[in-house]
Amino acid sequence: MRTWIKKFIKCNIILGFLLVSLSKTVYGMEEQLNQAVVLPVEYHDKAFVRGEYVSINGDYEIYLRDNTTYLPLRLMAYLISNDEEFWEARWDAAKPDEVVLVCTYMEKMDNGGWVNTGKPQTSIKLNVDSKNMISKGETIELSAAPKKIGGRIVLPVRAVGEALNRQIAYKDGLIFVSKEPLALNDEQADGIIKEMKERFKDTRKAVESFDIPLAVHNVNGKTYFNMYDYNESSQMSIQKLYVHGEQGPVLVKEIKNYTPLNQPFVEDVFYYGEKQQTKVVLYGYNLDTKQTHQIGELNIEGQDFSWIERIIPKENKIYFTVHYGDLTMGAETLYVIENGKGKELTGAKQFGSIIIENDKIYYSNIHMMRKINNLYVYDESSKEVKNLGEEGYTYDINRILTSGGGESLSAANSLKLIGDKLYTIGYLEESDQAPCIYSIDLQTGEAQKLSLPTSQFWIANDKIYYIETTTKYLITIDLEGNGKKTLISKPIAQAKFHGKSFYYTLLNKNNDLTMGLYKYTLDASEPVRISPKRVKDFFISSSKIYYMTTGYDAGLYKIQDGKTICLTKEPALNYQFDGEKMIFRSIYSKQVEIIQ
């Protein structure tokens, strides 16, 4: 769901799939309900919203008066919203009996996100005890009027919903809101409704604490994670490093006066910084030997120091990037530790990819306001910075153009060094070109376009694999851009490469997630479906596959030795993967669990 939903709900997604065979129609019952909103008349802050089970913030109550169901106006606005239409309720204390519902029209982008189309908003006006609804200057007579109950304005769900071209249905104490009619009177619908009603019996409230692991890592089969804490008595923020033991998390190290470090785990070392007056001291805690050693220090006197972004160990050197200032006006600097001190090398608005090889540092500068000519090499010997790539091009940034003339930008982190060539995403800035894969010859400086538009690619066995932007098919080419071959001719929703195999999920013709998790091995001729469920996210380890499903039989699952096991059906506030195990936090518990 989009970010606007997060403003209205604390969306804690229970992910799953109902193991009932689908009908032979184009859309089975589950596909139909994946486009609907379902909630019980006996409401306890829970609803199914387009296939996802969510806990909704707010003290709302559903009322039944004169055989008419009434919903609080903000809950009603949420329920009639969908991906294309975002409705919000507006109420003015100066007009206590009037309410206005405003619709903003949205458009789906190629990356699955949604943006405002720029179309004029639509609004409707309603008044308490009046059946007249004003829409686009016209009066529409409703079958029931809004009411005020307990000092709160409530709206008749069927009357308002149907006036806005929504289908409203009732069955077994559940309310269904959809754009298309639902075939609820068959055995398959009965099975799904039974599953939903079981879920709605859960009346637990989400816990208030939102402490979750910031980063997780697995060393020698042990799971480590760090969290921030605040000591009320000393009014001091503390960083804590934990290892998960047999009885739960065990505190390993407590760091006071810590410096935020966004990517603290590298190989078998946990890195952290301590602020000491006018300097930051950088340490490394070896998770294998349990030894701490000081790496170096950085003088920050007179600097608007904010945080350490990443640590890059390379041979016998430690490189690190530091962010100064805020996210809007700030910038980053790359340092190397020499003689125990941080030595400044080069800077960027925000570093994208960084590759260090033979005293050369290749990097992209992610500056969304000045994107052009943003690929560089820094020579540690000569201390010179040079541009790479073709003049007028932007590299290592994904760009999606919208129909309204705008663009959506994000860091691609796509830079790869193979021999004497860099490979990355790029596009001509002053054009409507979508990003494609380019190679840049480091000897001649020549840049060569290799692929069709894409935002994601991998290199393995002297081949490039990428997902083409328009079709979302998986395509392979050689390192020169030749030998194009389509490997998977179905639209891919999410793909990960592990070992010699691609793992992926698919989209249906409406660009929505469909059922199934698949595996395609490079030396095989056909992909294999390894799960029939509607998989929202998945993680690959050396011997196991974990996946989160979405739907009505929600849960976290594991595939190992050809067998599928459901690990938990608890709704997740947060879940992370340490490379071998899943770290899980239920919305109903303050406890971090290791699930394996």
Side-chain angles (χ1 to χ4, degrees):
M1 292 186 292
R2 302 190 310 278
T3 54
W4 59 263
I5 297 181
K6 295 179 182 177
K7 297 178 181 178
F8 185 77
I9 66 169
K10 178 170 57 190
C11 181
N12 304 303
I13 303 173
I14 299 179
L15 312 160
F17 175 82
L18 182 65
L19 292 176
V20 179
S21 60
L22 297 176
S23 67
K24 296 183 180 180
T25 58
V26 176
Y27 294 107
M29 191 66 241
E30 184 168 358
E31 283 93 336
Q32 292 182 42
L33 288 172
N34 283 339
Q35 306 303 317
V37 174
V38 186
L39 71 164
V41 174
E42 295 185 9
Y43 176 72
H44 296 287
D45 304 327
K46 308 289 194 305
F48 279 101
V49 179
R50 290 174 287 283
E52 295 181 349
Y53 185 42
V54 301
S55 179
I56 301 175
N57 272 352
D59 182 21
Y60 299 114
E61 185 175 347
I62 295 177
Y63 302 92
L64 185 63
R65 298 288 190 275
D66 301 325
N67 294 321
T68 300
T69 305
Y70 291 88
L71 271 63
L73 60 95
R74 287 182 174 81
L75 182 59
M76 182 70 187
Y78 171 62
L79 296 181
I80 62 175
S81 293
N82 53 43
D83 287 328
E84 292 85 9
E85 299 178 11
F86 170 45
W87 288 88
E88 58 181 332
R90 297 178 182 177
W91 179 79
D92 185 351
K95 302 176 181 178
D97 290 337
E98 180 182 283
V99 62
V100 178
L101 296 178
V102 179
C103 175
T104 300
Y105 296 97
M106 311 299 290
E107 176 185 25
K108 194 165 191 175
M109 299 184 296
D110 289 335
N111 68 350
W114 293 84
V115 295
N116 191 330
T117 61
K119 294 180 180 178
Q121 293 179 324
T122 294
S123 65
I124 62 172
K125 184 185 298 184
L126 304 108
N127 282 276
V128 172
D129 296 329
S130 172
K131 292 184 178 181
N132 292 332
M133 181 179 80
I134 309 299
S135 174
K136 299 179 181 178
E138 297 183 1
T139 300
I140 301 172
E141 186 174 355
L142 303 176
S143 58
K147 288 183 178 294
K148 186 173 285 186
I149 300 177
R152 171 179 287 179
I153 296 178
V154 293
L155 306 179
V157 60
R158 182 184 293 279
V160 174
E162 291 181 348
L164 297 176
N165 297 316
R166 299 297 188 270
Q167 301 290 324
I168 309 297
Y170 297 85
K171 185 171 182 177
D172 291 351
L174 302 183
I175 306 170
F176 299 81
V177 182
S178 61
K179 291 190 72 174
E180 302 294 334
L182 301 174
L184 297 175
N185 296 316
D186 60 24
E187 292 183 3
Q188 189 182 19
D190 291 340
I192 294 175
I193 290 172
K194 182 179 178 181
E195 289 281 343
M196 290 190 293
K197 291 178 70 174
E198 284 299 313
R199 295 286 188 180
F200 287 138
K201 289 179 181 179
D202 187 352
T203 60
R204 290 178 293 174
K205 298 286 187 180
V207 297
E208 293 299 321
S209 172
F210 289 96
D211 294 332
I212 58 176
L214 299 168
V216 300
H217 196 58
N218 190 291
V219 173
N220 297 329
K222 295 181 178 179
T223 298
Y224 295 84
F225 59 92
N226 68 323
M227 300 177 72
Y228 291 155
D229 194 9
Y230 184 75
N231 188 303
E232 293 286 352
S233 60
S234 64
Q235 295 186 340
M236 179 182 294
S237 294
I238 301 170
Q239 182 179 189
K240 295 182 177 181
L241 173 66
Y242 294 90
V243 63
H244 205 280
E246 293 182 359
Q247 303 301 319
V250 177
L251 181 64
V252 174
K253 184 174 283 292
E254 188 174 273
I255 305 157
K256 301 176 182 179
N257 299 317
Y258 71 86
T259 294
L261 202 165
N262 284 346
Q263 301 175 41
F265 293 104
V266 183
E267 297 176 348
D268 59 353
V269 177
F270 171 73
Y271 293 93
Y272 64 94
E274 287 186 352
K275 208 167 185 178
Q276 300 178 9
Q277 296 179 341
T278 61
K279 63 184 179 182
V280 170
V281 182
L282 186 63
Y283 296 91
Y285 175 76
N286 191 294
L287 301 172
D288 188 18
T289 66
K290 316 303 182 194
Q291 298 297 312
T292 300
H293 64 284
Q294 181 174 323
I295 294 170
E297 59 185 54
L298 177 66
N299 186 348
I300 58 171
E301 185 174 7
Q303 303 291 324
D304 188 13
F305 176 88
S306 295
W307 66 82
I308 299 173
E309 180 62 31
R310 68 182 102 169
I311 304 287
I312 310 171
K314 183 66 177 181
E315 298 174 349
N316 297 321
K317 295 182 178 180
I318 298 290
Y319 299 83
F320 62 101
T321 60
V322 171
H323 191 97
Y324 293 97
D326 60 18
L327 286 171
T328 303
M329 302 302 294
E332 295 182 355
T333 301
L334 174 66
Y335 296 89
V336 64
I337 296 293
E338 282 192 2
N339 301 318
K341 306 289 185 181
K343 175 185 173 183
E344 181 177 341
L345 299 178
T346 186
K349 174 67 176 177
Q350 176 190 336
F351 285 100
S353 301
I354 299 177
I355 298 177
I356 303 173
E357 192 71 31
N358 298 328
D359 292 329
K360 300 287 197 306
I361 301 174
Y362 306 95
Y363 64 95
S364 58
N365 181 4
I366 310 300
H367 193 325
M368 298 308 183
M369 301 303 293
R370 293 195 295 271
K371 308 181 294 295
I372 198 167
N373 305 325
N374 69 325
L375 191 60
Y376 300 90
V377 58
Y378 173 82
D379 190 316
E380 288 194 77
S381 299
S382 66
K383 299 179 177 53
E384 292 181 343
V385 177
K386 293 182 180 179
N387 268 109
L388 296 174
E390 193 170 343
E391 179 71 23
Y393 277 72
T394 296
Y395 296 101
D396 205 25
I397 291 179
N398 279 321
R399 175 173 74 167
I400 298 173
L401 300 177
T402 64
S403 60
E407 61 180 6
S408 173
L409 303 168
S410 62
N413 296 313
S414 63
L415 207 60
K416 297 172 176 62
L417 177 63
I418 307 291
D420 291 330
K421 289 185 178 181
L422 282 175
Y423 294 82
T424 186
I425 297 292
Y427 60 89
L428 181 62
E429 181 64 39
E430 298 299 327
S431 75
D432 59 358
Q433 178 193 344
C436 301
I437 303 170
Y438 282 81
S439 67
I440 299 168
D441 192 308
L442 298 176
Q443 300 298 319
T444 66
E446 179 185 0
Q448 181 184 358
K449 179 182 173 182
L450 304 179
S451 74
L452 297 170
T454 185
S455 62
Q456 185 179 21
F457 73 96
W458 304 262
I459 297 180
N461 302 326
D462 295 328
K463 296 282 189 180
I464 298 173
Y465 301 88
Y466 69 94
I467 298 175
E468 196 271 321
T469 298
T470 303
T471 63
K472 296 182 174 60
Y473 293 173
L474 178 64
I475 295 172
T476 183
I477 53 177
D478 63 26
L479 295 178
E480 301 300 321
N482 302 316
K484 175 177 172 291
K485 181 181 178 181
T486 300
L487 301 179
I488 299 172
S489 56
K490 293 182 179 180
I492 293 173
Q494 182 185 13
K496 297 181 181 181
F497 185 67
H498 184 86
K500 296 182 179 180
S501 299
F502 279 94
Y503 299 81
Y504 62 96
T505 53
L506 296 173
L507 297 167
N508 62 23
K509 68 178 185 179
N510 291 327
N511 213 27
D512 294 320
L513 186 66
T514 189
M515 270 76 77
L517 174 62
Y518 298 83
K519 176 182 179 180
Y520 177 82
T521 303
L522 297 183
D523 55 6
S525 58
E526 295 293 334
V528 176
R529 190 171 76 167
I530 58 177
S531 172
K533 297 181 180 293
R534 190 170 180 254
V535 175
K536 183 173 184 179
D537 204 357
F538 57 92
F539 305 89
I540 317 299
S541 77
S542 58
S543 61
K544 300 178 283 290
I545 301 169
Y546 297 93
Y547 61 88
M548 307 288 291
T549 59
T550 182
Y552 305 104
D553 185 21
L556 168 63
Y557 293 80
K558 177 182 74 172
I559 301 175
Q560 186 173 17
D561 299 327
K563 298 179 180 179
T564 299
I565 303 170
C566 179
L567 300 176
T568 181
K569 290 189 176 182
E570 282 286 283
L573 169 65
N574 174 266
Y575 57 88
Q576 299 182 58
F577 181 57
D578 74 356
E580 289 294 330
K581 305 171 186 174
M582 294 297 299
I583 292 83
F584 185 90
R585 229 317 287 277
S586 167
I587 66 172
Y588 303 123
S589 171
K590 296 183 179 181
Q591 184 70 41
V592 175
E593 300 179 62
I594 304 296
I595 299 181
Q596 55 180 327

